[in-house]
Amino acid sequence: MIRVCGLRKRYGSLVAVDGVDFEVARGETFGLLGPNGAGKTTTIHMLVGVLAPDGGTVRIDGDGDPMRAAVRRRIGVAPQALALYDDFSANENLRFFGQLYGLTGASLRDAISHALHITGLEARRHDYVKTYSGGMKRRLNLAVAVMHRPDILLLDEPTVGVDPQSRNHLFENIEALSAEGCTVLYTTHYMEEAERLCDRVAIMDHGRILALDTVDALIDAHGGSSVVEAELERPPSEGVAVPGRLNGTSLRVDTARPFETVAQLAGSGLQLRTCVVRRPDLESVFLNLTGRSLRDA
Amino acid sequence: MRTVWTLAKKDLLLLVRDRFGMFWVLVFPLLQATFFGAIFSGQGRGAGQISIAVVDEDRSEESRGLIERLKKSKSLTVFESNRESAATDVRRGKRVAYVAIRKGFGESSRIFMPASAELEVGIDPSRQAEAGYLQGLLMEASFGGIQQTFANPQKMQAQIRKSAEEVAAADDIPASQKAIFQFFFGAMEQFVTKLDPELFKQGAAIAPAKIESVAVRREGRSPRSSFEITFPAAMLWGVIGCTAGFAVSLVTERKSGTLLRLRVAPLTRRDVLAGKAVACCAACVGIIVLLIVLGRLVFGVRVDRPGMLAIAAMCTALCFVGLSMFISVLGRSEQGVAGASWALLLICAMLGGGMVPLIAMPGWMLRMSSVSPVKWGVYALEGAIWRDFSPAEMAMPCAILLAVGAVLFSLGVAINRRIDR
């Protein structure tokens, strides 16, 4: 559905996107995971034809060039910034943007009602956006993006500054759209969101894609070993063999077979107060690929 | 075109909902036009006064008395003048009318004279309301003179004696008739000496002055009132408010992300910019129309050439659309563009007649003002309102406005494209 080949964009001496290649299949939810400044938003802007790439190509559904208005009509975008008119109500925002996509009359009214329904904003539809909470604005931002029923939905950091309740609501909306067959491209720097929503994830940093695969495959390939962390009742006696690193009563064991390690600890005569198994995640993947934590990058 | 209008409607609605913006677009210009209009016209001395010139060609005690009574009227502002200056002032709109007290007024004012005292009122025929009002005030003043005569027995006696002497000296009156007259005047003098003057202070039913109206057409090259100067300037202040507002709105859209959303929508860049331009143009024309309607209804501002006004308003609006587009690229933030726009527009307004009326500018300042599009806007609007421009005269300011607008719009669009690249 989306094919990106050798995409490049430079601002002066800064290379924002440096030879990015990926493909997104129809109905797939694809994640671009990377820290701020990784080049995710610039990539999105080139995907929708707002920015002209310095090199490479973007093709939508075969040979569609997003620079053409007819191709963009099939795309919905929820920008990172809350792209809404604060002095308009939700209804007025949706009406205005719907009209730009050629919706009129009954089809426009239906689209507005549907968008308000799926984002749970019906009760506040006539209130000015400036009176909304951050979470409600995010939901309306999504509503505007989906109201014309696009084939492709581009979501650029859609949960920034959103409370947990609104975040869950947004996730449910995105999962529902995906279930309806909508192709979703989702950028985020929250690994939990990518893990929950995305079929495949591209890890991006400094304008380049470092790895691209399913979440499980990425973890298997780049996540490293699991960690078993245990807290002992008392320090082990002299001569008792303890796996891993011991610091007072805290024990940490890096292992490829965490459950075998837990069983071994239980049978070793050590008295455990707590025991936690930590599987590697996308954070570990990013750490192993870049040498930096995703949150610190 | 439908898309462009959808975009324009959105911007117009946002403008109307922005109370602070509306202050600069509508309230401030209206306050300015009212305040300076009132100051220049002397409205502060009393609302509704009619400014007239009085020409005393009789120079009699009666004419002097009439002038004094007119000066005491709260409804009139009276300036004494000679006939030529008075007529010129009326033609140039400096005075509403002139009142000439013709020679012989004093004589005719005497009781028992066969002819009425004559006054000449020079006024533009189109000012029928003022003419009627002024006629009433003149009648009141002339009645006042007759009342005073009856209330003053000595004056009455003197007038009766003078009339008796004139009859005695007349060659065309038979002796028998002269005797009857002398008998009558004698009896009348007796009557006057015994009359209680207080009775006549209440009013008397005696023939009033005869008032003759003379058409003095205003030449059309000068304003009829100070509001016809302040309102075109106020319209430009309203247009300036729109210009600044729309320049900032483009940056606001870019910063808030709505411009991105518009560009992602199936529109061309041309549609987006055309939407802004149409909205700005409609707002400018709208504010001009609104101010001219308010000026007409409240302050009597009249438009000599409505067709020309439409052309002037459109050319002014198009020029300031170009200026708005250019200003929108003078900064990268809303604060930057707002600062740059007001700095630039205030200079344009100061130079161009937004503060000092063009009609009051010294020659050097008027020449300097030509660099400001505000001057050409004011000039074109004044041309339609009171300067009575012919199509040829209107062509120059309109051509300048359109040329400036086109150049600035092209520059603004080109720089905008580079910013978004």
Side-chain angles (χ1 to χ4, degrees):
Chain A
M1 194 67 171
I2 303 172
R3 198 171 72 244
V4 175
C5 297
L7 205 59
R8 272 191 190 79
K9 186 69 188 179
R10 174 191 286 271
Y11 296 109
S13 61
L14 175 74
V15 180
V17 176
D18 188 10
V20 165
D21 299 275
F22 62 85
E23 287 188 27
V24 184
R26 189 181 301 272
E28 184 181 16
T29 299
F30 184 88
L32 273 179
L33 178 68
N36 292 329
K40 305 185 298 292
T41 299
T42 305
T43 303
I44 292 256
H45 286 183
M46 287 190 282
L47 282 177
V48 288
V50 170
L51 277 180
D54 294 336
T57 57
V58 176
R59 288 293 175 263
I60 304 294
D61 197 17
D63 206 28
D65 183 352
M67 289 287 186
R68 287 171 44 218
V71 174
R72 289 203 303 277
R73 192 180 292 274
R74 301 178 59 191
I75 304 174
V77 182
Q80 188 175 343
L82 290 165
L84 303 165
Y85 295 104
D86 277 354
D87 284 331
F88 278 3
S89 66
N91 210 59
E92 288 169 331
N93 268 290
L94 288 165
R95 175 176 296 278
F96 169 66
F97 286 112
Q99 285 173 335
L100 296 185
Y101 281 87
L103 299 174
T104 54
S107 61
L108 178 61
R109 282 194 296 277
D110 291 347
I112 291 171
S113 296
H114 177 70
L116 288 169
H117 174 69
I118 63 166
T119 50
L121 292 170
E122 287 154 307
R124 300 284 305 272
R125 65 189 297 168
H126 295 301
D127 294 347
Y128 283 168
V129 171
K130 62 185 170 194
T131 66
Y132 283 16
S133 68
M136 290 169 71
K137 286 181 182 178
R138 280 284 162 203
R139 276 145 61 188
L140 182 59
N141 204 33
L142 178 66
V144 173
V146 302
M147 74 173 299
H148 64 288
R149 310 276 180 122
D151 297 327
I152 299 169
L153 183 60
L154 306 182
L155 305 173
D156 192 5
E157 307 254 11
T159 58
V160 172
V162 172
D163 59 277
Q165 191 185 353
S166 289
R167 182 174 296 196
N168 272 335
H169 204 293
L170 280 170
F171 289 166
E172 286 164 12
N173 291 152
I174 294 162
E175 284 163 345
L177 288 163
S178 181
E180 287 173 13
C182 184
T183 304
V184 180
L185 195 151
Y186 189 101
T187 80
T188 182
H189 59 269
Y190 297 125
M191 57 175 184
E192 307 87 350
E193 295 179 6
E195 285 177 356
R196 172 172 172 176
L197 296 171
C198 300
D199 300 316
R200 288 191 304 147
V201 173
I203 307 285
M204 203 171 176
D205 193 31
H206 294 308
R208 303 180 72 178
I209 289 182
L210 305 179
L212 191 165
D213 214 323
T214 61
V215 173
D216 288 339
L218 283 172
I219 290 170
D220 286 346
H222 307 284
S225 50
S226 297
V227 176
V228 175
E229 289 176 343
E231 192 66 33
L232 308 181
E233 285 289 352
R234 65 182 70 84
S237 310
E238 287 282 327
V240 175
V242 177
R245 287 166 288 169
L246 183 66
N247 183 12
T249 56
S250 297
L251 182 67
R252 178 188 165 99
V253 186
D254 292 338
T255 173
R257 297 185 177 82
F259 296 108
E260 286 179 21
T261 304
V262 171
Q264 188 187 344
L265 284 174
S268 67
L270 292 171
Q271 287 193 307
L272 305 179
R273 189 189 300 159
T274 61
C275 184
V276 177
V277 175
R278 296 196 192 282
R279 282 199 67 215
D281 54 18
L282 289 174
E283 176 72 43
S284 328
V285 173
F286 189 81
L287 184 68
N288 287 332
L289 287 171
T290 65
R292 293 172 295 145
S293 161
L294 188 58
R295 296 181 204 285
D296 299 336
Chain B
M1 196 59 209
R2 189 174 174 174
T3 305
V4 171
W5 181 235
T6 301
L7 290 161
K9 270 195 306 187
K10 175 263 297 175
D11 277 316
L12 290 171
L13 192 55
L14 287 172
L15 175 71
V16 170
R17 287 188 182 170
D18 176 7
R19 288 182 190 171
F20 187 68
M22 281 308 287
F23 173 82
W24 293 109
V25 169
L26 180 62
V27 181
F28 173 72
L30 198 55
L31 286 176
Q32 203 214 19
T34 309
F35 181 70
F36 287 107
I39 286 176
F40 295 150
S41 68
Q43 288 276 321
R45 293 198 301 269
Q49 285 188 318
I50 297 177
S51 172
I52 61 166
V54 176
V55 181
D56 186 0
E57 292 177 339
D58 191 49
R59 298 199 177 278
S60 63
E61 189 187 342
E62 286 76 12
S63 65
R64 202 63 246 159
L66 177 68
I67 292 170
E68 291 310 317
R69 284 191 297 279
L70 288 174
K71 281 184 175 175
K72 281 178 188 165
S73 169
K74 287 177 182 170
S75 304
L76 294 173
T77 308
V78 178
F79 298 87
E80 290 188 56
S81 182
N82 59 48
R83 179 177 278 272
E84 194 180 336
S85 301
T88 304
D89 285 349
V90 174
R91 269 196 295 274
R92 290 184 177 168
K94 201 172 167 186
R95 308 268 176 262
V96 173
Y98 74 79
V99 175
I101 305 171
R102 286 179 177 164
K103 200 156 182 59
F105 175 85
E107 288 293 304
S108 311
S109 297
R110 284 204 333 256
I111 54 170
F112 312 121
M113 289 304 288
S116 297
E118 283 200 15
L119 297 173
E120 176 187 316
V121 175
I123 190 166
D124 189 298
S126 64
R127 310 188 84 151
Q128 288 182 9
E130 288 100 326
Y133 187 45
L134 181 59
Q135 191 158 348
L137 292 169
L138 288 171
M139 294 290 255
E140 184 188 8
S142 63
F143 268 123
I146 295 165
Q147 258 178 263
Q148 280 179 5
T149 306
F150 272 88
N152 184 345
Q154 287 74 32
K155 193 175 176 185
M156 280 276 283
Q157 281 176 327
Q159 288 194 5
I160 291 168
R161 277 192 210 111
K162 195 171 180 189
S163 297
E165 285 164 16
E166 282 176 2
V167 168
D171 297 333
D172 54 345
I173 301 175
S176 58
Q177 291 295 311
K178 282 184 181 178
I180 292 169
F181 272 118
Q182 293 304 344
F183 173 75
F184 172 70
F185 286 136
M188 191 69 198
E189 200 172 340
Q190 288 288 315
F191 166 72
V192 167
T193 48
K194 290 176 182 169
L195 189 68
D196 180 5
E198 290 303 314
L199 284 175
F200 281 90
K201 286 181 182 169
Q202 306 301 317
I206 298 172
K210 183 180 167 192
I211 298 170
E212 184 187 338
S213 280
V214 174
V216 181
R217 291 192 186 279
R218 201 178 54 81
E219 284 177 342
R221 294 278 175 170
S222 59
R224 285 159 291 236
S225 75
S226 56
F227 292 107
E228 291 184 352
I229 299 172
T230 58
F231 264 80
M235 288 169 202
L236 262 293
W237 277 109
V239 167
I240 283 171
C242 290
T243 304
F246 277 94
V248 174
S249 82
L250 201 57
V251 188
T252 304
E253 295 233 38
R254 186 177 290 123
K255 289 287 169 193
S256 70
T258 48
L259 186 63
L260 172 70
R261 186 155 247 157
L262 295 180
R263 292 183 57 204
V264 167
L267 316 170
T268 62
R269 173 191 289 275
R270 196 177 303 161
D271 289 336
V272 176
L273 293 180
K276 280 272 172 224
V278 168
C280 185
C281 187
C284 291
V285 171
I287 205 68
I288 290 172
V289 171
L290 196 57
L291 284 171
I292 202 73
V293 169
L294 285 172
R296 177 77 188 97
L297 293 178
V298 183
F299 301 102
V301 173
R302 277 178 292 176
V303 179
D304 282 343
R305 293 173 178 260
M308 290 286 188
L309 181 68
I311 293 169
M314 186 52 82
C315 292
T316 304
L318 289 173
C319 175
F320 281 82
V321 166
L323 192 54
S324 173
M325 192 58 69
F326 177 70
I327 289 171
S328 74
V329 297
L330 293 183
R332 294 296 166 99
S333 66
E334 287 152 275
Q335 292 83 355
V337 171
S341 66
W342 280 109
L344 186 66
L345 291 167
L346 277 178
I347 291 170
C348 285
M350 277 195 294
L351 284 176
M355 292 176 180
V356 180
L358 292 177
I359 200 169
M361 276 186 185
W364 64 269
M365 198 174 173
L366 200 59
R367 280 191 295 279
M368 210 165 77
S369 70
S370 298
V371 299
S372 166
V374 172
K375 179 240 178 99
W376 298 108
V378 172
Y379 197 50
L381 293 170
E382 285 184 350
I385 292 171
W386 60 263
R387 284 184 190 269
D388 202 24
F389 274 3
S390 65
E393 286 172 311
M394 186 59 89
M396 188 178 73
C398 286
I400 291 171
L401 287 168
L402 290 177
V404 170
V407 169
L408 293 177
F409 189 81
S410 306
L411 262 174
V413 168
I415 298 171
N416 240 312
R417 189 172 292 153
R418 286 191 63 178
I419 290 171
D420 289 336
R421 195 173 289 164

